[in-house]
Amino acid sequence: MHPDNHLRLHRLRSTELQEQAQEFGLVPAPSRTGLRTRLGWALVDLGLRVLPSHPVGTSAAAGPA
């Protein structure tokens, strides 16, 4: 495939994905915060999604005696 064709297809698909993300509210509103701040909060959000919803007891983490 010619590089120009590949780039054109990439741009079309990128536009489609951005429109879909806006429809579902996945694109945050533009703000004046810096990239590091937005990235930091995105990592906090990801971490909260990954953590279990209930705390793990210390006795279970210690293992068998």
Side-chain angles (χ1 to χ4, degrees), residues 4 6 13 19 21 23 26-27 29 38-39 42-43 47-49 56 58 60 62:
D4 290 338
H6 179 75
R13 182 65 179 144
E19 290 172 357
E23 288 175 10
L26 299 176
V27 177
R38 290 183 299 196
L39 179 61
L43 290 174
L48 292 174
R49 292 175 192 250
V56 178
T58 57

Side-chain angles (χ1 to χ4, degrees), residues 4 6 11 15-16 22-23 35 44 48-49 51-53 58 64:
D4 290 338
H6 179 75
R11 287 182 179 156
T15 302
E16 290 174 3
Q22 287 176 352
E23 288 175 10
L35 177 62
V44 167
L48 292 174
R49 292 175 192 250
L51 290 175
S53 60
T58 57

Side-chain angles (χ1 to χ4, degrees), residues 3-22:
D4 290 338
N5 293 338
H6 179 75
L7 183 59
R8 179 68 180 151
L9 290 173
H10 171 72
R11 287 182 179 156
L12 288 172
R13 182 65 179 144
S14 176
T15 302
E16 290 174 3
L17 290 173
Q18 288 175 358
E19 290 172 357
Q20 289 176 358
Q22 287 176 352

